[in-house]
Each structure stands twice: as structure tokens, then as C-alpha cells.
Amino acid sequence: MSIQVSDGVFRLDTAESSYWFRTTAFGHLEQLHYGTRLPAGEIESLRHKHELTHGSAVLYDEQADPSYCLEELPLEWSGVGKGDFRVTPIELKLPDGSFTCDFVYDSYRIETGAPKMHTLPQSTGEGAETLIVTLRDKAFAVYLDLLYTVYAEENVIARRAVLRNESEGTLLIKKLMSYSIDLPDRGYTVVTLSGGWIREAQVIERPLKTGAIVNESTSFSQHRNNPALALVSRGATEDTGLVYGFNLVYGGNHQTAAELSPVGLVRITGGINPYCFLWELQPGEVFETPEAVLTVSTRGKNGMSQNFHRFVQKRIVRGDWQTKERPILINNWEANFFQFRQNSLLRLAKRGKRLGCELFVLDDGWFGARNTDSAGLGDYTVNRKKLPEGLEGLGKKVNALGMQFGLWFEPENVNDDSDLYRAHPDWAIVRPNRKPSLGRHQKMLNLTLPAVRDYIVENMTHILDTCPIAYVKWDMNRKVSDFEDGAFLHRYMIGYYEVLTRIFGPRPQILLEGCASGGGRFDLGHLCFAQQIWSSDDTDPIERLKIQGGLSLFYPVSTMGAHVSMAPHQQTLRNTPLFTRFAVAAFGAFGLELDPMDLKPIERKVLTALLSEYRTIRRTCQFGTFSRVETGDPHIVQWQAQTGKQTVVMRCKTLVPAAQPNDLLTVTGLDPDKTYTLRQVKSPLLVGGFGTLLKHILPVKLRAYSHLLLAADKRLKMDDYAESYRASGAQLGTGVRLHRSFIGTGYSDKMHMQGDFSAMLFVITED
Ligand code: GLA
């Protein structure tokens, strides 16, 4: 049993954690412990002691208890106007016109599974248990249900709040968070994923000092700040120490605040962003907040990440692709942009097939007058000039090549220059008295209108049901503007989730990839529908180390779209080796974003071999237990994933020093007593990249840009030295001393030619 209630104490336990709280003499919920798993027992040592209060305290009820002050208590929920001055989870205008509210214990019940939500997506609750604690405002019949769904195996507690207006008057909700929790201060660093377009999910670490750190978005989940947040306690590392993780199953405007109060308590609240939020709740009405998910680990940041990875793979992602290896795809966007014809697409698909791709994705530009990004959005009629046999004809021909067919949509937006906008200008989100502000030349469609939702559902399902489509990329290329208020944006999200449910609920066979100008909508709400999300328009592997590495704190590798594209890179101009682009994208839902004809013949050969290698490690990379391995060097990033008898390690150098020291490769998490074979995947060295350095190995001198060398560069390669060992898990765990990398004093066939942006990939197999 994961939930036990006795004498006003609520004990929620998962495999590795305990979450305990109790009701106080006045009916408030006192947080006792959230952290390592405790055996059932007394709570005296956990109870907050408050014989004396601080000088400036506002006392809750001076006569009854002169030492009871809400500001000083670790709470599970709080209100307004009764002496707690910290960030509040609720701001409510009550029927008496005031914001003062005081929610106290009313009752509790336990249900199996997770009670169904009516407006928003949620984790799948089979086998879980939910505790529902009902609080009631002391002056009005306004009830607040606090729900705690315990995912024992995954070490996750899902929390949310539901407000019920059973009073006679209307309530105005200004703020209603999904949860609030107070923890003792342990010298936390707040970790968030922040950034922007083509540099999403950068790990930002801020020490939590007295005051609040607010992680929020005012245009859906957005590039700027991902809804996830971690609290890393003093001294914790990737593998050790206490780390908390918080996330929301919601892609609308979000806010998570972490506040260290002057008395040494840390409050975390998270939920819908109160930004411009005003929601009227009539008598008899109910308002449900998004589900939040909380985890804690004493096994450091990796422990927190692994809890979330397992949870997301099992309880958030769903459909036929939930646990299936993702197909290797080739997407035509960077190869073609808007310029293509059926024949050129089929040629591209064929080239992809030859390399080993399994799915061909037609991106933007297949409909209406969509030849630039200024026209056609909103229309679903196929452009017959480009695709004379329609999507059906193209899809069948792609299938005949032995590949699956996928298609891009951007259903939430409209160009002024479109048949849809000409017919229904009133369907766009605009303010009647203001000139609209556009994003990527487009307006957003008003998904709060049933007619708009029906239009999208009917058009998309018609295409999905008449063409052989196995995969959909759902894009959303602008931020919001010209909206009424935050409540409108929340209603938009409810409409958006309804549309996704109607389209993809009955079609679980479709693999859905979310996208929003890259990773602008990477959140758990979206992942309840999309099995994977395009992490960023930036496919430069060195940038992806940061983006995918950042996302890996909270999201599993199987959810991160990651492609190999051309070098020099189209956004950073960085010239990286093909092998590095492959090795980094291997830790993702892998694909190609290029025209193979732009590669050198030798690169096509190399890529074909790598894709065939990838099929043997794909399950481990995408679904294995993932860890970020500390290397002690900020310029060396190492990831590993492990499943069954296989472990895959990727080690990438972003910048190498002169006279590099020998590499020490540590493989973590192996059984010390078992024997393993470690094999390095061969990485090619293209001749042209070495210029006059070839003099180290060739008996004859070749000029750096001679015709001979340029011709050789297209067709010839050498392989870098590949390490191989048989060793115990203990030896691999303590570190393998690798052969030396190039240091400018000569060449040996047992050395690595590893410079800036180089990567190594190792496959370790248990005997
Ligand atoms: C966005 C996406 C790209 C591509 C284009 C098409 O930028 O992030 O991957 O689909 O739109 O217009």
C-alpha cells in the first residue's frame, strides 16, 4: 500500500521516497517530510517545533495558540491574509469581495488509479493510488481538493488542485496553482532549462538565496523557459546527493516559483501562470488545474532524471509507439525548403532508403499556395503542381520503396493570404480595435471556437484516413499576441487538447512528432499525444550537446527528435565531423535532415555503415537507462545508456587543449564482478580534413589543395584507432586508459586523431 492515513498523518510512499504530511490543530496541512524513503514510525522528529515565534509574526489565533504562525510553518497549501507572506498558491476574490482566504482540512478519501480530468491531459494512472484531501475555506462553501497520485515504482507523486464553488456567489480566480510544498533549506541551486530559438534548453543554475526565483512563460511552454525545474541540494552531483524535480503536464502559460523565506523554508509552487489570468467560477462550477509531477532522488541529478525518464515513458507517452524504437527518418525540409516536385521527393526518399532510412517525411509546402512562408497556411488542398498524384500517390510510391510516409502540418495558424482566411477572417485571434501583430507572417486560429476545432479535425483526419500516413509532424511557428487574457489562453489549451484527442486518440498507430519553431513546445502535456518532439531547429551537434543534455534532465532520449544535417551548419557555420553529428543524434529519435547527394561518396558509405550499426544499439540509446557521466572537464561531454547486456557510451570533445592528456573513459553502472567486452565504433577520418598533416603518414608530399588530394577526399578514408578490451565491470568503472590522441609529434596507427568537435562511441557488452 502506497498511501497510509492514521491520526491525521498522511504517509505516501514510493519505492525510494516518502512524502508525509499531517493536519495541524487548526486544520492546516503541515509538510513533514519529502525525501528518502522512511520506515513507518513516529513523526515527532519530523514535526516543526514552534514554542516561540519571531518578533514580527502575525499569529493565526493568539488566544488558542500564541506560537502558531503560518509564515513559520512548512505547509502543503496556503492562503491569503492570515499571516503567511510567502508566494501563495491561490489568489481568489471571494463573494465578500476580499482575497483573504483560509483553507482548512475537511475530509479525505483514497481512490485507485488517477481520477479522470475533464479538460486537460494527465498521466495514465493504472495501478496507482490517489489520495484526495479536501480543504474548505473557513468563511465560504468553497472547497479545494488536493490530489496526490502515488506512482510507487516510478518514484513520482502527481499533484493537482480542484476548486469547487459551492457558495452562493461568483468567485474570481486570479491564481490557482497545481501544488505548493515547503521544504527545509538545504542550500539549493535552482536548475531550469531556459534559452531561445535554436538554443533551447540551456541549463541555468541559480543559487536560491532569500527571495524567489520564478520560472515562467507567457506564451505557452515556449523556447524561453521550459516548465521543468530541479532543486539540487548543496554538494549533490550527477550521481550523489538529494535532488528534487518538478514538472507540469501542461503546455500553456506556466509558472513555477522557488522561494527561500527568511525563516529557512523553501516553498515551491507550480501551475498555470497567473499572468493576465482572470477566471469566473459561478456557483456549482469546478476549476481543475494541470497535473504537476514531483520526484526526489538521493542518487543525484541522474537519479532524478532516471525517475522522470521511466515515468514519462510509462505514464505520459502513449499509443502504439510508446515503447517502440523510433524509425530512422529522412526529412526533406533542409534539403528542399519549399522547392520540390513529386519526382524530386521520390529521388530524395530513394537516396535515404539506400542509406538505411525507414521513414520519409514531407515537410512544409505541400498544400495551397505554400511556396513561401507568407501564403497558404490554413489550407489543406494539395498543391497538384508539385504533387500531381496527390499525397495518396506520393505516399504509395514511398511505401513501394519500402519506407513509411510522414507528413508535416501546422494546424493552429493561418496566413492572411489563404483561402481559409479569406473565408473566415473571424477565426483568427485578433482584437477588433487593434492592428494585429503577426509572427512568421501568420495569425493564430482561435481554438476556443468549436467551428475552428471541427475544421482542423475534419481536414486532418480526412488526409490521415485516405493517405498512407504513418507519422505526423505537428508544427506551431509563432508565439501568442492579441489575446484577451490568460483565461482565454487556458481555454485555447483546452481546445487544443480536445483537437489532439479527437485526431490521435482513435489513431494510436500514428507516430506524432511535436514541433514549435524547433523545441518551443517541449512539455509533458504535448508528450501525452506526441511520442517525440523536435528538440531544436539547431542540429549542430555541439549545440545539441547542450540542448539534448539539458532536456535529458527531465525528458527521456526517446522523446527528443535529433537529426544529422550538413556541415558547415546552417545556423552556426560550425564545421563538425559526420561521425560526431551521428553520435550525438544517436541519443535521440534519430533522422537525417539533408540531401545525401550533398555528401561526399565516402560519407554516404560511412553513413550507411553507421545507420546499420545504429540499428544494433538504437533500443539502448533511446530506451536504456540514461546517465550524464561527469568527466571533470567542461569540454568533454559523456553520455551513456544501458539496457539488458548492452551499454552505449558517447564521449565528445568540444575543445581540445594542446598536448592533450590521455583520456580516461569511465563506464558507470556495470556489475563489478561481471566481464564485459568494450568495442569502439570505427570512426572515419576523411583525408581532406588533414591538409598538409598528411606528410606525417604519406611517403610523398601532397599539396593541401591539390586535385589529387581533393579527389582522394571524396572517396578515401582512414579509420581512427578503435579501442577494444575485455575487462570486469569494476575495471571499466574505475576508468579505461585510452590510447593517446594526436599531440603534434608524429603519427602511430594506435593513436586517435581527435580534435575539436570529435566524438567517440563505445559499445559495451556483458558476457
Ligand atoms: C519550423 C520547423 C522546421 C520546419 C519549418 C517548416 O521552423 O521547426 O523543422 O518544419 O518550420 O516551415
Side-chain angles (χ1 to χ4, degrees), residues 333 338 363-364 370 408 410 440 473 475 477 515-518 534 537 593:
W333 175 243
F338 295 104
D363 209 280
D364 198 353
R370 187 76 171 165
W408 178 96
E410 187 169 346
R440 209 195 185 195
K473 178 171 168 189
D475 209 339
N477 280 307
C515 177
S517 300
W534 183 225
D537 280 347
E593 190 92 16

Side-chain angles (χ1 to χ4, degrees), residues 349-402:
K350 233 180 256 169
R351 288 175 204 138
K353 172 71 187 171
R354 247 180 259 136
L355 295 184
C357 294
E358 299 154 340
L359 165 71
F360 174 74
V361 179
L362 171 55
D363 209 280
D364 198 353
W366 54 265
F367 50 86
R370 187 76 171 165
N371 298 314
T372 68
D373 59 8
S374 300
L377 206 56
D379 298 338
Y380 287 85
T381 38
V382 175
N383 183 327
R384 292 269 163 181
K385 232 170 151 187
K386 290 181 183 172
L387 304 175
E389 294 176 53
L391 292 168
E392 206 186 338
L394 174 66
K396 280 190 181 148
K397 290 198 161 149
V398 170
N399 287 167
L401 296 173

Side-chain angles (χ1 to χ4, degrees), residues 206-261:
R206 284 171 283 184
L208 185 59
K209 305 270 164 88
T210 303
I213 290 176
V214 178
N215 180 60
E216 65 180 349
S217 159
T218 52
S219 178
F220 305 142
S221 61
Q222 233 187 44
H223 301 85
R224 229 174 231 254
N225 291 313
N226 192 279
L229 179 145
L231 274 189
V232 178
S233 65
R234 187 186 300 110
T237 66
E238 284 289 4
D239 293 311
T240 61
L242 184 72
V243 179
Y244 295 90
F246 305 85
N247 208 345
L248 291 171
V249 188
Y250 186 58
N253 289 354
H254 60 85
Q255 184 188 76
T256 302
E259 182 187 19
L260 172 58
S261 77

Side-chain angles (χ1 to χ4, degrees), residues 654-712:
T654 55
L655 199 61
V656 297
Q660 296 186 55
N662 283 38
D663 275 88
L664 187 68
L665 178 83
T666 310
V667 187
T668 63
L670 301 179
D671 185 330
D673 298 323
K674 290 199 168 137
T675 307
Y676 296 81
T677 309
L678 178 148
R679 171 178 68 86
Q680 183 178 357
V681 177
K682 272 191 198 159
S683 80
L685 303 171
L686 300 195
V687 195
F690 291 95
T692 54
L693 291 177
L694 286 177
K695 68 183 175 224
H696 285 292
I697 41 172
L698 293 182
V700 289
K701 185 171 174 180
L702 282 183
R703 291 272 163 217
Y705 295 101
S706 66
H707 288 303
L708 192 58
L709 191 61
L710 292 180

Side-chain angles (χ1 to χ4, degrees), residues 15-300:
E16 292 178 7
S17 68
S18 290
Y19 190 130
W20 292 6
F21 57 96
R22 66 159 191 162
T23 51
T24 67
F26 293 97
H28 300 110
L29 298 183
E30 178 185 343
Q31 159 54 232
L32 294 168
H33 166 78
Y34 183 35
T36 188
R37 167 132 194 180
L38 303 175
E42 288 304 309
I43 58 154
E44 185 54 23
S45 68
L46 304 172
R47 186 179 68 77
H48 175 68
K49 316 295 183 311
H50 54 91
E51 282 64 36
L52 299 170
T53 59
H54 289 82
S56 65
V58 169
L59 302 179
Y60 181 72
D61 183 341
E62 193 171 0
Q63 286 77 39
D65 183 349
S67 72
Y68 190 85
C69 165
L70 289 176
E71 171 77 352
E72 295 175 11
L73 265 178
L75 294 168
E76 277 291 291
W77 192 263
S78 190
V80 166
K82 299 305 292 174
D84 184 355
F85 300 96
R86 293 168 287 182
V87 170
T88 179
I90 188 164
E91 286 177 44
L92 207 57
K93 198 160 183 176
L94 288 157
D96 64 354
S98 94
F99 278 91
T100 293
C101 64
D102 183 18
F103 285 93
V104 292
Y105 179 75
D106 179 78
S107 58
Y108 83 90
R109 62 182 201 280
I110 295 172
E111 290 190 11
T112 52
K116 197 172 155 17
M117 293 180 72
H118 303 288
T119 54
L120 300 172
Q122 65 183 131
S123 53
T124 53
E126 286 92 60
E129 273 191 308
T130 301
L131 167 70
I132 302 154
V133 180
T134 299
L135 308 180
R136 185 188 193 275
D137 178 59
K138 283 195 90 168
F140 290 95
V142 176
Y143 291 87
L144 189 69
D145 295 326
L146 302 184
L147 289 91
Y148 299 79
T149 301
V150 183
Y151 290 106
E153 221 179 277
E154 295 87 356
N155 292 310
V156 165
I157 309 270
R159 280 195 61 179
R160 61 191 178 94
V162 176
L163 191 71
R164 291 184 278 128
N165 183 6
E166 293 181 17
S167 77
E168 313 269 280
T170 301
L171 304 180
L172 199 57
I173 304 172
K174 194 164 164 269
K175 177 183 192 184
L176 183 61
M177 303 313 261
S178 300
Y179 68 97
S180 178
I181 181 172
D182 295 343
L183 302 164
D185 182 25
R186 289 193 168 92
Y188 292 112
T189 296
V190 174
V191 180
T192 55
L193 304 181
S194 306
W197 174 70
I198 68 166
R199 51 183 178 84
E200 294 87 341
Q202 311 290 305
V203 175
I204 307 294
E205 300 184 341
R206 284 171 283 184
L208 185 59
K209 305 270 164 88
T210 303
I213 290 176
V214 178
N215 180 60
E216 65 180 349
S217 159
T218 52
S219 178
F220 305 142
S221 61
Q222 233 187 44
H223 301 85
R224 229 174 231 254
N225 291 313
N226 192 279
L229 179 145
L231 274 189
V232 178
S233 65
R234 187 186 300 110
T237 66
E238 284 289 4
D239 293 311
T240 61
L242 184 72
V243 179
Y244 295 90
F246 305 85
N247 208 345
L248 291 171
V249 188
Y250 186 58
N253 289 354
H254 60 85
Q255 184 188 76
T256 302
E259 182 187 19
L260 172 58
S261 77
V263 298
L265 288 173
V266 173
R267 169 165 297 175
I268 314 289
T269 60
I272 298 173
N273 195 335
Y275 171 74
C276 303
F277 193 81
L278 287 174
W279 187 285
E280 273 192 9
L281 201 66
Q282 303 298 336
E285 285 186 345
V286 166
F287 182 85
E288 59 182 7
T289 62
E291 186 176 56
V293 292
L294 287 68
T295 194
V296 63
S297 177
T298 50
R299 294 177 291 108

